[in-house]
Amino acid sequence: MLATQQLTDFLTVVADRPDQAAAQHAAVECAARALDADLAVLVVDGGVAAVVGLPADAVPAYAIGQVAAGRLSSLTIGAEVFTVTHAPIGGDSPGALVLGRRTTAFTIEEICLLRGMAQVLELSLQALQLVEAERRQAAEHGRLIDSLQRRQRLFDELSTVQRAIARREPLARLLNMVTESAAELMDVEMAGLIVLDADDPGRAGLVASYGIPDETAARMQHLPVAALGAAGLAIMGDELVAVDDYASSPIAVPEVVRAKLKSLMALPVHENGVVVGAMFVGSHTRMREWDKPSQEILEAFAEHVSLAITDSRTLREMSHDFHDSLTGLASRTLFMTRAESAFATTRSGGVAALLVDLDRFKVINDALGHKQGDRLLAAVADRIRDCLRADDTAARLGGDEFAVLLPDVAGVDTALPVARRIVTAMREPFDLDGRETFVTCSVGVGYGRAGSEDAQELLVRADLAMFEAKKQGKDQFAAFDPAMRESFQKHLEMEADLRRAVLRHEFQLRFQPIVRLRTGDISGLEALVRWQHPERGMIPPLDFIPLAEETGMIVPIGEWVLREACRQAAGWNARRDGLPPLTVSVNLSAVQLDRADLPDVVRSALDESGLPASCLVIELTESLIVDHRPETLRRLTAIKALGVRLAIDDFGTGYSSLAYLRRFPVDIIKIDKSFVDEVGDVPAAAALTHGIIQLGQALQLSTIAEGIEDLDQLTELTDGNCELGQGYYFAEPLTTAGMDELLFPAQGEQAGERAGK
C-alpha cells in the first residue's frame, strides 16, 4: 500500500501544475524524493527537460540518452559513479524518466513504482497538451467549431473532467460525467460508453450512458462485441465509424432501428494504446452529418475516457503488488520489468518467453459459468508453475492468456522442452467439483539476445508464434520464425479488407440446387456466400469465413446472407406458377448462434421478404451442436417455433450422436461429401452411407447427399432411398442470373427472342 500512496501523491503533485514545464519539474522532484535518488533527469524528445541533483548545464546529455535507451546501467559524472535505472514515457513527445544513486541499486519493486510514475506523468502531460490545445484553439476563434462560445464550452468541460481525474473521483462517476458532457455539447439525445470484459475480451458491456432507458442499458451487458453494431465495428477495427443514415446502413441492428435511431457515431477508447472499448453518440430526432468538428469533439472526450481508465487501472495494478489476484502469478507489469532486467543481466546471451493461450476457454467458461471458469484458470496456473525452473517467471497477462519468462538461456532450443511440457500437462483432465473438464493450449516461443532485442520485441515474437500455433490447429507449440511477421501482416491486411468489404457491399450469393433424386425435380437451393474483392477477384469461402468468425465480422455478413437469400427465394417462388415452393438453406456460424437476438433477426428476415418460414432451412455443423450451451438449445427452439427447419451439415464428420439428434429439433441431416465420394467404389463406404440414410428414416428426418458428381453415385444413393441430393452432377453454385435461367428456362428463351426482334 506504500507504493500506492506514493503513486497517488505523485499524481496529485503533477496534476496540480498549470502547464507542462511545471509538471515536468514537479515530476523529477517527487520521483527523486520518493525513491531516495541522488539524481533525477527527465528526457523529452532527446533533450533534457528537467533535472534534480545536478546543474542543468552539467548533465551529460549523450550518456543520459544511452541510459534512457537501456544501453547503460551505470553513469559516471566527474568523479562520481551512479547506479541508474529508467522508465520510458510514450505519447506525442516520447522520452524517459532517469534516476540515479551513488549507493545501492534499485530493486524490482522500486523500478515498478518508477514505471507507474512514468505512466502517470505521461497521462498528465497528455491531459495538459489537450487542455493547452483547446486553449490555443479557443484563442484562434474556434477553428474547428462554429463559434468561440462552443469552443470555450468544450475547454471548460474537458478542464472539469481533468480536475476530477486529479481529485481521484470514482471511475464510474468520471465516465458518466464524460458521457453526459459529450451528449450535451454535441446536442444529441443519446451517448454511451462500452468497455470490454477484462476476462473475456470477445464480450463487452455498457458502463456509462446518457439518454438510454434503464431496461435497454440492463440488456447491454456481457454481449458479444460483434453484436454491438457500429460500436462493435469501432472496437474491432480500431477506427471511427460514422453512420449518417442508420436505418439504411448494412451494419444497423434491428432493435436499434425499431427504436427510431437516425444517426450514430462511435469511436474506440484506448488504454496504453490498446482498444478497451468504444464511446458512441446518437440522434433520435434528426439525421446528423458527422462532420470533422463533430468527430474531433468526440475524439477529445474519448481521449479523456482513455486517460481516466488508464489512470485507474495503473493505480489498481500498483495496489495488487504486481500480482494477479486470481492466480497469484505475476502481472503483466511485473513480467515486463523482469524481462527487461533479464536482458540486462543475462550471462548466456539471451532470454526466452512463452505465450500460453487456452483453446476454446470461452466455450467452457460460458458452459460452466464464470465461477468455475475462474477455478479452471487457477488450476491452469498451478500446472504452468509445475513445468518451470525456480528462476523462471509465470504471469497471467489477462483473460485466458499466460506468459512464461525463461531468463539466461543460450537459445530457443532450451525453451522448446518447457513449451512441450506445458502443452502435454494441459491435456490431462481438470477436476472441477467432480466433473472432468478438458482444455488444451497453444504456445508461442520467442527468443531474443541481449543488445539486439528488448522485452517488448520478445513478447511480440512469442505472440506471433502463438498465432501460428493457433492457425496450425491449436493444442501445440510453435517457435518464432521471421517469416511469421509477413504471414501475420497478410492476415491483418485481409482482416482490414474484410471490414471494408462489409461496408462496401462486396459480397455476392451463389445458389446450388437441391434435387429430388428419384424425379430430378429441384426442391430447394443452398445459398453460398462469395467475396468479390476489387483487386484479388473472387475469394472462396475457406479463405475468409474462418477470419470472419475469428473477428466477429461473420455477424453482419451472415445477416446479409440470410436476408438476401430469403428475399431472392421469395421472388423465385412468386414466379413458379403453382409449382411447389422452393426452400432455401442458409449456413449459420457458432458466432451468430451466440447472439441473443438471433431469433428476432430470423423473424425479421422472413417478414421483410415475405418468405414462409417453412421455406427456410438453417444449416448447423455437428461441432456447433456438440459444443452447445443451454442458451444454444433455447435459441434453436425459438427459431424452430417460427416454423423454420433445421439441418445438420456435414453429418458423419464430427461427433455424430443419437443423443443430440433426439435432443435438438433437427429436421434434416446432410451426408458429408467424403462419404458420397466413395459410395460407388468402396463397399464399406456404401454400407455406412446407407446406414445414415436408414437412421434418418427411422428418426423421420430427411436426408440430403452432398457432393454428387457422377451417375454411379446418384444410382447408389437413389437405390439406398436417399431422398435429396446436390452437387456438380446437377449444377455448380450459380449466380442469381444463372439460377434464374435454370429455374425458368422458357422465360429466358422468350426474353432472348424478344431481344432478337
Side-chain angles (χ1 to χ4, degrees):
M1 293 306 293
L2 177 60
T4 303
Q5 185 59 48
Q6 289 174 312
L7 195 61
T8 302
D9 293 344
F10 181 85
L11 173 63
T12 302
V13 170
V14 173
D16 193 43
R17 295 305 183 266
D19 54 41
Q20 291 189 67
Q24 291 168 346
H25 284 283
V28 293
E29 292 174 355
C30 189
R33 184 169 59 252
L35 294 173
D36 195 24
D38 301 303
L39 174 66
V41 181
L42 176 63
V43 179
V44 176
D45 284 336
V48 175
V51 60
V52 168
L54 280 178
D57 57 1
V59 176
Y62 176 77
I64 289 293
Q66 293 295 298
V67 174
R71 300 189 183 97
L72 292 179
S73 57
S74 63
L75 185 65
T76 301
I77 302 176
E80 294 184 301
V81 178
F82 295 86
T83 299
V84 293
T85 187
H86 77 286
I89 297 173
D92 295 335
S93 300
L97 187 55
V98 177
L99 297 187
R101 280 187 187 149
R102 298 186 180 90
T103 54
T104 59
F106 292 92
T107 66
I108 292 291
E109 289 71 18
E110 289 175 325
I111 294 172
C112 289
L113 177 57
L114 178 62
R115 294 190 181 282
M117 290 178 172
Q119 287 183 346
V120 169
L121 178 59
E122 177 183 334
L123 292 170
S124 297
L125 292 178
Q126 287 177 2
L128 286 168
Q129 288 173 356
L130 282 170
V131 172
E132 289 177 6
E134 297 304 326
R135 184 182 293 116
R136 287 195 301 271
Q137 290 174 354
E140 293 169 0
H141 306 291
R143 180 177 58 86
L144 299 176
I145 315 179
D146 296 334
S147 68
L148 178 61
Q149 183 179 8
R150 194 175 181 194
R151 171 60 65 181
Q152 186 61 45
R153 284 181 59 202
L154 177 60
F155 169 70
D156 292 342
E157 294 287 355
L158 296 181
S159 297
T160 300
V161 172
Q162 175 58 26
R163 288 193 296 271
I165 293 175
R167 290 196 306 269
R168 320 301 310 134
E169 293 278 356
L171 181 61
R173 187 181 303 167
L174 280 171
L175 300 182
N176 278 308
M177 179 190 301
V178 174
T179 304
E180 183 174 351
S181 297
E184 292 179 352
L185 192 60
M186 298 185 71
D187 191 24
V188 294
E189 300 80 43
M190 179 191 75
L193 175 64
I194 289 171
V195 174
L196 297 176
D197 287 0
D199 292 329
D200 187 358
R203 290 177 176 270
L206 187 72
V207 298
S209 64
Y210 174 86
I212 297 177
D214 291 342
E215 60 272 18
T216 302
R219 291 197 300 270
M220 295 179 66
Q221 302 299 323
H222 200 58
L223 295 177
V225 173
L228 294 172
L233 279 179
I235 292 171
M236 294 186 291
D238 190 11
E239 60 186 357
L240 181 141
V241 176
V243 182
D244 296 340
D245 184 358
Y246 189 83
S248 62
S249 169
I251 62 173
V253 176
E255 181 181 358
V256 180
V257 173
R258 289 194 293 272
K260 308 299 184 183
L261 184 70
K262 303 293 186 184
S263 301
L264 184 72
M265 179 166 57
L267 189 73
V269 169
H270 300 85
E271 179 190 356
N272 293 326
V274 178
V275 177
V276 296
M279 189 173 184
F280 61 89
V281 293
S283 174
H284 288 282
T285 57
R286 60 189 174 94
M287 287 188 186
R288 294 284 297 267
E289 292 185 5
W290 302 114
D291 54 13
K292 189 65 174 176
S294 296
Q295 295 175 16
E296 293 187 349
I297 292 174
L298 186 60
E299 287 173 1
F301 281 109
E303 181 67 24
H304 275 69
V305 170
S306 298
L307 292 173
I309 291 176
T310 303
D311 170 66
S312 175
R313 293 189 178 176
T314 297
L315 287 177
R316 189 164 64 249
E317 284 184 2
M318 293 295 295
S319 68
H320 285 122
D321 295 327
F322 303 97
H323 285 83
D324 177 55
S325 58
L326 176 64
T327 63
L329 299 182
S331 67
R332 178 186 288 270
T333 301
L334 184 56
F335 178 87
M336 295 302 291
T337 302
R338 288 183 177 175
E340 291 166 0
S341 178
F343 273 109
T345 60
T346 180
R347 298 182 300 276
S348 299
V351 180
L354 279 60
L355 207 59
V356 182
D357 191 81
L358 300 185
D359 303 323
R360 297 175 60 252
F361 174 74
K362 179 180 180 298
V363 174
I364 296 171
N365 199 39
D366 289 342
L368 302 182
H370 290 284
K371 183 177 180 181
Q372 293 290 65
D374 287 348
R375 290 191 58 192
L376 178 60
L377 291 173
V380 166
D382 290 339
R383 289 197 185 176
I384 292 176
R385 283 193 195 95
D386 293 341
C387 296
L388 306 183
R389 306 170 301 180
D391 293 336
D392 300 335
T393 295
R396 181 179 177 225
L397 303 186
D400 60 344
E401 189 175 55
F402 298 83
V404 172
L405 179 69
L406 306 178
D408 206 27
V409 295
V412 70
D413 290 342
T414 308
L416 296 182
V418 181
R420 185 177 293 108
R421 286 200 298 271
I422 292 174
V423 171
T424 302
M426 292 302 156
R427 291 172 180 158
E428 294 297 318
F430 291 85
D431 185 353
L432 300 179
D433 292 336
R435 168 186 281 186
E436 279 195 343
T437 303
F438 292 86
V439 66
T440 59
C441 69
S442 299
V443 180
V445 183
Y447 175 77
R449 292 189 173 278
S452 300
E453 286 81 36
D454 58 16
Q456 192 62 45
E457 171 63 17
L458 180 67
L459 204 58
V460 167
R461 292 183 172 189
D463 199 15
L464 288 170
M466 188 270 289
F467 177 81
E468 186 67 22
K470 291 273 190 187
K471 192 168 71 172
Q472 295 302 322
K474 305 178 182 178
D475 188 24
Q476 58 185 287
F477 63 89
F480 171 77
D481 183 276
M484 292 178 182
R485 289 190 194 275
E486 182 178 355
S487 173
F488 187 68
Q489 185 60 38
K490 289 181 179 178
H491 178 87
L492 292 179
E493 291 172 0
M494 177 72 85
E495 180 180 338
D497 286 349
L498 187 63
R499 296 186 191 284
R500 285 189 285 268
V502 171
L503 297 175
R504 296 174 181 173
H505 307 284
E506 293 175 2
F507 297 100
Q508 300 177 3
L509 283 188
R510 296 291 185 269
F511 295 91
Q512 187 171 43
I514 298 173
V515 176
R516 294 193 179 278
L517 298 188
R518 290 201 176 277
T519 65
D521 295 335
I522 298 175
S523 68
L525 314 165
E526 181 176 3
L528 303 165
V529 66
R530 300 290 186 267
W531 177 11
Q532 183 64 48
H533 193 282
E535 297 175 359
R536 304 179 191 178
M538 189 64 71
I539 299 180
L542 287 178
D543 289 353
F544 72 88
I545 291 296
L547 178 60
E549 292 181 325
E550 175 190 334
T551 59
M553 297 306 295
I554 194 66
V555 172
I557 295 172
E559 185 170 332
W560 175 82
V561 170
L562 174 66
R563 294 181 185 278
E564 183 65 14
C566 289
R567 186 191 67 80
Q568 192 62 59
W572 280 323
N573 282 340
R575 297 165 54 194
R576 283 180 57 84
D577 296 331
L579 294 174
L582 298 170
T583 63
V584 63
S585 299
V586 177
N587 292 277
L588 192 72
S589 106
V591 180
Q592 292 171 275
L593 194 55
D594 202 29
R595 291 185 56 169
D597 66 343
L598 180 63
D600 292 335
V601 171
V602 174
R603 181 188 295 108
S604 172
L606 293 171
D607 291 344
E608 290 175 3
S609 65
L611 184 73
S614 59
C615 292
L616 176 62
V617 177
I618 297 291
E619 294 192 7
L620 315 163
T621 63
E622 283 186 292
S623 58
L624 188 154
I625 291 178
V626 170
D627 288 337
H628 79 281
R629 295 175 288 136
E631 293 87 349
T632 303
L633 184 55
R634 285 197 291 270
R635 283 170 199 150
L636 290 178
T637 301
I639 292 172
K640 177 73 174 174
L642 297 175
V644 175
R645 292 192 292 166
L646 302 179
I648 299 176
D649 198 13
D650 302 330
F651 186 83
T653 60
Y655 308 89
S656 304
S657 166
L658 289 174
Y660 75 66
L661 286 178
R662 290 196 307 268
R663 187 181 314 121
F664 281 82
V666 175
D667 303 279
I668 302 166
I669 53 178
K670 301 189 72 173
I671 305 170
D672 186 66
K673 183 179 184 299
S674 61
F675 294 101
V676 175
D677 285 343
E678 300 179 340
V679 76
D681 302 320
V682 181
L688 185 55
T689 302
H690 290 163
I692 296 174
I693 296 169
Q694 291 169 9
L695 173 64
Q697 292 172 340
L699 296 175
Q700 297 183 328
L701 304 176
S702 297
T703 52
I704 302 175
E706 297 182 286
I708 300 174
E709 296 184 352
D710 57 49
L711 181 60
D712 289 341
Q713 294 171 347
L714 173 60
T715 301
E716 187 72 33
L717 290 163
T718 305
D719 292 345
N721 291 320
C722 184
E723 181 182 356
L724 302 163
Q726 65 186 100
Y728 277 55
Y729 180 78
F730 305 108
E732 64 182 9
L734 301 172
T735 63
T736 301
M739 181 56 69
D740 203 273
E741 292 178 6
L742 182 65
L743 292 174
F744 309 103
Q747 296 177 17
E749 291 172 3
Q750 293 171 5
E753 291 173 1
R754 287 195 298 270
K757 295 177 182 179

